[in-house]
Amino acid sequence: NWKKHDLTGFISMLVRLRRDFPVLRHDEFLNGFNRCAHGVPAIHWFSPDGKEMAAHHWQDPQAKCFGLLLNGGAIEKLPENRRLLMVFNAHSTPVSFRLPKLGGGYSGWEQLLDTAHPAPESADKARYPADKNRLLPARSVSVFVQNPAPAL
């Protein structure tokens, strides 16, 4: 039931996300070998328990929820040190997803997007602590950002 205005606003918000986060415009293949100073890889995949995806997760036909971390701080060519976490829930029911705790003095997670919200681009910009569960709506995508803690 997307109205023309709602779709236009949503697309505009996606364009702003891409503009505001250089890691979404990076033109080289990302791998888990490049790491930031805190040991967090440039790209990382998470299961709903907040742990690294293992081979059995990828082979499980019932697994319909996962998270993708893009760590700007692990990519040398980027003037970026924020971390983006995109969580995809294809289940027909809500799924509890543990927001990962990655270390390195970073803050908790701020939600930037929730496609289950009637107006995803104006969704509540709530903050959530790392290593805590967040209930993700059915058939939705949520995007979170983790910023470095301010220097003292």
Side-chain angles (χ1 to χ4, degrees), residues 55-125:
H56 71 275
H57 292 113
W58 294 108
Q59 302 301 321
D60 182 358
Q62 300 303 313
K64 296 182 179 179
C65 181
F66 66 89
L68 165 63
L69 175 80
L70 298 175
N71 178 14
I75 303 167
E76 282 186 37
K77 296 180 180 179
L78 292 184
E80 174 72 88
N81 58 2
R82 296 174 292 178
R83 300 167 178 166
L84 275 183
L85 176 66
M86 293 170 267
V87 184
F88 303 86
N89 180 14
H91 280 286
S92 59
T93 59
V95 170
S96 181
F97 190 94
R98 183 169 292 272
L99 296 172
K101 183 176 183 178
L102 303 170
Y106 278 66
S107 63
W109 295 96
E110 178 184 349
Q111 188 163 13
L112 302 176
L113 169 70
D114 177 0
T115 62
H117 192 277
E121 68 276 8
S122 62
D124 182 21
K125 303 290 191 249

Side-chain angles (χ1 to χ4, degrees), residues 6-78:
D6 293 335
L7 184 57
T8 302
F10 180 68
I11 298 299
S12 295
M13 190 272 318
L14 292 176
V15 169
R16 281 191 306 276
L17 267 179
R18 188 169 190 272
R19 179 198 64 212
D20 294 346
F21 291 91
V23 71
L24 294 173
R25 300 187 313 270
H26 185 61
D27 60 357
E28 293 181 14
F29 184 77
L30 296 177
N31 60 55
F33 301 115
N34 296 341
R35 295 177 181 270
C36 69
H38 307 292
V40 180
I43 186 169
H44 205 67
W45 303 89
F46 292 94
S47 62
D49 63 3
K51 297 193 179 355
E52 180 178 4
M53 295 269 295
H56 71 275
H57 292 113
W58 294 108
Q59 302 301 321
D60 182 358
Q62 300 303 313
K64 296 182 179 179
C65 181
F66 66 89
L68 165 63
L69 175 80
L70 298 175
N71 178 14
I75 303 167
E76 282 186 37
K77 296 180 180 179
L78 292 184

